[in-house]
Amino acid sequence: MNPIPGTKTSTKTSTVNGVTTVVTTVTAPGQPTRITTTTTTTKPVGQQPGSDAQRQPAQPSVPQPQPRPQPQLVSQDQPEKRKSGFFSSLKKHVLRNDDTPKRTSIIQQQPTVVQQQPVFQQQPQQKPQPQIPAQTIRLESDDGPLDRLAEKMQHATLNRPPVVEHHSSTTTTTTTTGPDGKVTKKVTHTDGDAPDDAIALLKKSQPLLADTFSGKRLEPENMDFSREDNHARACPNGEAATIASLSHYLTSPCKGNKISQLRTIFTWIANNIAYDVPAFMSGRYGDQAPEHVLRTRKAVCEGYANLFISLAEPAGLQVQKVVGVARGVDVQIGDDRLGSPHAWNAVRIHGEYLLIDSTWGAGVCDLGTRSFKKLFRPFFFLLRPNRLIYTHWPNKPEQQFLDPPIHESVFRTLPAIKPESWDLGIKLAGRNRGQVIRTKDDYVEAEIRLKKRPSDGATGKVVARLNWKGQSLPVVCQWQREDERYVWMIIKCWCPSGGSGELNVFGWPPGGDQTKNGPQILGFRVFNEGSGKASKPLLQQYVVQGFAFSVLEPLYAKVKKNEPQVIRVRVFDVQKGVTPALAVQAPDGGMPERLSQVKPGLFETTKVLSAGQWKIVNMTSEYGFSFAAVFDAV
């Protein structure tokens, strides 16, 4: 559009305290004056215009989490600052071990692989790689090589507070003055893109690859290690008398097969070295040298990592130690602490960096009884860096083996995902994908996704409980939707009062026996700013053998009597040979009335309910049934 002759435009820009204001005035003969004001404000994520989230008064009924001093992380490049405790002792072990001749780091060069026919044949067989000295892809910067830059990154990470992400918001005010002097004003507000959560930020970092990467990622979870594991478990005591003899026994039958050699070492350590829980709790860890650990068969994480390296060296396997912190049994979900001091190992295979934690692969600690429960967990053998980073935080950024390394603030907010969650194909989806869930109206929900098994479409099963001030409260896991590959579930619960608690999710593999306790797969710290008055008791559900189900209606434990009530149940993950037969039983205890299957997997009926307790059941025979859920009509 051509401007009217004589049109004049003037623009004035000013910036005060991060607020940029642009005022544009347009005047034309015979036309109203048009004034446009554009204000751009940068504000912290999560704050609304005109609010200050950092200055909101704490509600009296809500316990506010108290900030804790951040632990000083152990670093081999920094002087010791603490005089006692786990950090100083772990630092002592690191320094003592560094006094010995330094081992060649896997970052520098691959060993020459002896091309021999391995005793153990892996499936699938890995393609042999050309014997070329491998160099890690290194980045150069204005600060010099990656090693020097890493030191500066580490120092900055250990000393700066978590970063608060920002995004921009734009407020545009259009003011028009007419010939009669009447002023009209129009205000529009536009927010910038919403910030990513920790999972989305982690996905922007990929596992680091060397320039010799074969182009095909290793899939250890799909490989059969039964022969390697049996060989390691059958090791005679005489062969385990010295480092040299044990290394020879474990690795010599599979020369030329680096993966098999690493596996036999991992399996032997995990099955023969017990975690020294009393030493960990007392802070007096003793000698963690490989020879001492082999003799006593006890260690803390430092000893596990040292022994792994010592057994790998005689076979020409290049393994390095990673020192940092981890979210173990002594770190609560949503804790302000970064983690407890920990050590693990890293290797490079065909240009791919993979991680090994033989400590966590050996079992679990019970701090209450000061005991260690042996439990072989192969999940912690050759883990990809973008999986182990959920629980393990190395002191040195380059030992994340992520490109680029994530920031500490991302690690702090990653969800508390347990190893079994990966095994069962259970992941977080939707909202609330961090460690902490906050609510102001007593209601809490989280969404999870179950992966269907390709062979038969079966999924894992989940239940959840809300631990609230000494109470264990029921939680509903409600079917939401599904497609050919996944099933989505919504976890729903109500907080009975203000304060905080823990929402724990437990899982079973397809066909798993839910009558036995299943492992915890996820956890959340819940903070409720509400009073609990809106809380409603949820429907009580039970375990039914042969299939998974979700009561869609009613959702609550109490419904209105003498009114029509829809009873709707969704069935999924049905085992072969099982036919669900859902019914509802009245309070008088008579024969249950069958629910109609209105769609595949969907059972439904509508009834006017008399007062009393109603039961949803599964008919196991003409007269037999098992309870699925109960609710009251009042």
Side-chain angles (χ1 to χ4, degrees):
M1 181 181 292
N2 295 325
I4 299 174
T7 300
K8 296 181 179 180
T9 303
S10 61
T11 302
K12 184 178 181 181
T13 304
S14 62
T15 301
V16 180
N17 295 330
V19 180
T20 302
T21 303
V22 180
V23 180
T24 303
T25 304
V26 181
T27 59
Q31 299 295 325
T33 301
R34 185 178 180 85
I35 302 174
T36 301
T37 303
T38 301
T39 304
T40 301
T41 306
T42 300
K43 67 179 190 301
V45 174
Q47 295 188 23
Q48 299 299 322
S51 70
D52 190 343
Q54 302 299 326
R55 299 181 182 178
Q56 293 180 353
Q59 297 189 16
S61 61
V62 182
Q64 300 297 317
Q66 298 298 318
R68 303 182 184 180
Q70 182 176 337
Q72 181 65 36
L73 303 185
V74 178
S75 170
Q76 299 184 29
D77 301 323
Q78 294 180 350
E80 183 176 352
K81 296 182 178 180
R82 296 176 58 126
K83 300 301 182 181
S84 62
F86 191 85
F87 283 93
S88 59
S89 297
L90 185 56
K91 173 66 176 176
K92 177 183 64 177
H93 298 316
V94 173
L95 291 177
R96 184 195 61 220
N97 291 328
D98 284 349
D99 291 337
T100 60
K102 290 186 176 294
R103 302 179 174 95
T104 303
S105 169
I106 66 169
I107 293 181
Q108 297 174 355
Q109 186 172 337
Q110 283 279 55
T112 301
V113 180
V114 180
Q115 296 296 332
Q116 297 183 13
Q117 181 66 27
V119 175
F120 299 142
Q121 298 296 326
Q122 288 297 329
Q123 298 294 331
Q125 184 68 32
Q126 297 295 320
K127 183 174 67 175
Q129 300 301 309
Q131 304 307 310
I132 302 175
Q135 297 296 326
T136 300
I137 298 175
R138 290 185 176 273
L139 304 177
E140 297 291 334
S141 73
D142 294 338
D143 294 323
L146 179 64
D147 290 341
R148 286 180 51 204
L149 178 61
E151 294 177 6
K152 296 182 179 181
M153 290 174 62
Q154 179 186 9
H155 178 75
T157 299
L158 297 179
N159 291 281
R160 65 172 174 257
V163 171
V164 178
E165 295 184 33
H166 293 74
H167 67 290
S168 296
S169 63
T170 301
T171 303
T172 302
T173 305
T174 302
T175 305
T176 303
T177 305
D180 57 357
K182 185 177 180 180
V183 178
T184 58
K185 183 182 295 186
K186 182 179 180 180
V187 179
T188 59
H189 177 80
T190 304
D191 278 331
D193 294 336
D196 293 328
D197 62 12
I199 293 180
L201 291 171
L202 175 59
K203 287 183 178 179
K204 296 179 180 180
S205 296
Q206 297 299 318
L208 184 67
L209 300 173
D211 55 2
T212 55
F213 176 56
S214 64
K216 183 178 181 181
R217 292 188 180 277
L218 194 67
E219 301 288 348
E221 62 272 18
N222 296 329
M223 302 175 73
D224 182 13
F225 290 110
S226 57
R227 283 173 289 185
E228 288 88 341
D229 294 342
N230 291 336
H231 175 70
R233 294 187 180 106
C235 178
N237 289 332
E239 298 288 351
T242 66
I243 296 289
S245 61
L246 179 58
S247 176
H248 178 78
Y249 171 86
L250 294 174
T251 63
S252 60
C254 39
K255 286 182 179 180
N257 192 325
K258 184 176 182 179
I259 300 171
S260 290
Q261 290 178 317
L262 292 169
R263 178 66 177 214
T264 57
I265 295 173
F266 173 82
T267 301
W268 189 91
I269 292 177
N271 283 272
N272 290 276
I273 306 300
Y275 192 83
D276 196 343
V277 180
F280 168 74
M281 298 186 69
S282 67
R284 297 186 293 272
Y285 313 109
D287 190 353
Q288 299 298 309
E291 296 77 11
H292 184 80
V293 172
L294 182 62
R295 184 171 62 255
T296 62
R297 303 292 175 92
K298 288 185 178 181
V300 293
C301 57
E302 179 77 4
Y304 280 87
N306 289 339
L307 180 58
F308 199 106
I309 293 174
S310 295
L311 292 174
E313 277 185 336
L317 302 173
Q318 293 179 333
V319 179
Q320 67 173 276
K321 180 169 61 180
V322 183
V323 176
V325 297
R327 294 170 177 167
V329 294
D330 62 325
V331 179
Q332 298 297 316
I333 296 174
D335 202 332
D336 291 334
R337 292 193 303 151
L338 196 62
S340 291
H342 194 52
W344 57 100
N345 298 107
V347 297
R348 186 176 70 183
I349 301 177
H350 306 318
E352 184 178 8
Y353 295 96
L354 299 168
L355 303 168
I356 299 171
D357 190 338
S358 50
T359 308
W360 285 27
V364 294
C365 297
D366 187 339
L367 299 184
T369 60
R370 301 170 66 92
S371 62
F372 176 71
K373 178 183 178 182
K374 284 191 175 183
L375 178 64
F376 183 59
R377 300 199 289 176
F379 174 83
F380 292 102
F381 176 69
L382 298 184
L383 264 174
R384 291 218 180 101
N386 57 346
R387 286 193 175 185
L388 194 65
I389 195 64
Y390 277 85
T391 52
H392 290 54
W393 177 256
N395 289 349
K396 296 181 179 181
E398 69 268 26
Q399 287 189 318
Q400 294 179 26
F401 300 105
L402 294 174
D403 182 20
I406 65 170
H407 190 271
E408 177 189 317
S409 60
V410 178
F411 174 76
R412 286 183 178 275
T413 54
L414 283 170
I417 295 178
K418 307 294 183 180
E420 290 77 9
S421 179
W422 299 103
D423 292 338
L424 299 180
I426 299 173
K427 292 186 177 181
L428 284 167
R431 299 185 299 116
N432 295 326
R433 299 200 303 176
Q435 287 195 43
V436 176
I437 299 177
R438 299 182 184 275
T439 180
K440 296 181 178 180
D441 58 4
D442 307 330
Y443 177 70
V444 172
E445 72 173 34
E447 184 176 350
I448 60 174
R449 190 189 72 187
L450 312 179
K451 186 177 182 179
K452 293 183 177 179
R453 191 164 56 189
S455 60
D456 56 6
T459 68
K461 297 177 176 63
V462 294
V463 298
R465 301 294 292 181
L466 177 63
N467 295 327
W468 197 266
K469 299 181 179 180
Q471 294 179 286
S472 182
L473 305 175
V475 174
V476 168
C477 297
Q478 192 174 65
W479 178 93
Q480 184 73 6
R481 66 189 187 280
E482 67 180 279
D483 60 18
E484 294 78 9
R485 298 182 61 191
Y486 304 106
V487 174
W488 284 266
M489 306 281 290
I490 299 291
I491 300 172
K492 301 180 178 181
C493 62
W494 292 87
C495 304
S497 66
S500 65
E502 283 193 4
L503 175 60
N504 295 318
V505 185
F506 305 88
W508 292 261
D513 186 0
Q514 288 184 265
T515 61
K516 299 180 180 179
N517 292 334
Q520 183 180 353
I521 59 173
L522 294 169
F524 304 90
R525 189 72 177 174
V526 176
F527 292 95
N528 179 33
E529 297 181 15
S531 64
K533 292 182 179 180
S535 176
K536 302 176 183 179
L538 292 167
L539 184 84
Q540 180 68 53
Q541 294 186 183
Y542 301 92
V543 175
V544 172
Q545 296 298 318
F547 61 90
F549 72 96
S550 173
V551 179
L552 305 182
E553 292 186 67
L555 179 62
Y556 300 106
K558 295 182 179 181
V559 300
K560 292 183 179 180
K561 64 180 180 180
N562 301 326
E563 291 186 8
Q565 173 65 53
V566 176
I567 300 173
R568 183 180 294 118
V569 182
R570 185 65 167 82
V571 170
F572 60 99
D573 193 22
V574 181
Q575 296 179 17
K576 187 177 181 179
V578 175
T579 302
L582 295 173
V584 59
Q585 186 184 42
D588 59 13
M591 279 297 298
E593 178 183 336
R594 293 289 186 99
L595 302 183
S596 301
Q597 187 170 194
V598 295
K599 292 181 181 179
L602 184 64
F603 295 79
E604 183 179 313
T605 191
T606 301
K607 292 186 66 67
V608 176
L609 304 180
S610 58
Q613 186 178 79
W614 289 77
K615 303 178 181 66
I616 299 175
V617 301
N618 177 53
M619 304 298 298
T620 55
S621 64
E622 185 177 357
Y623 299 104
F625 56 84
S626 59
F627 291 112
V630 297
F631 61 94
D632 293 312
V634 294

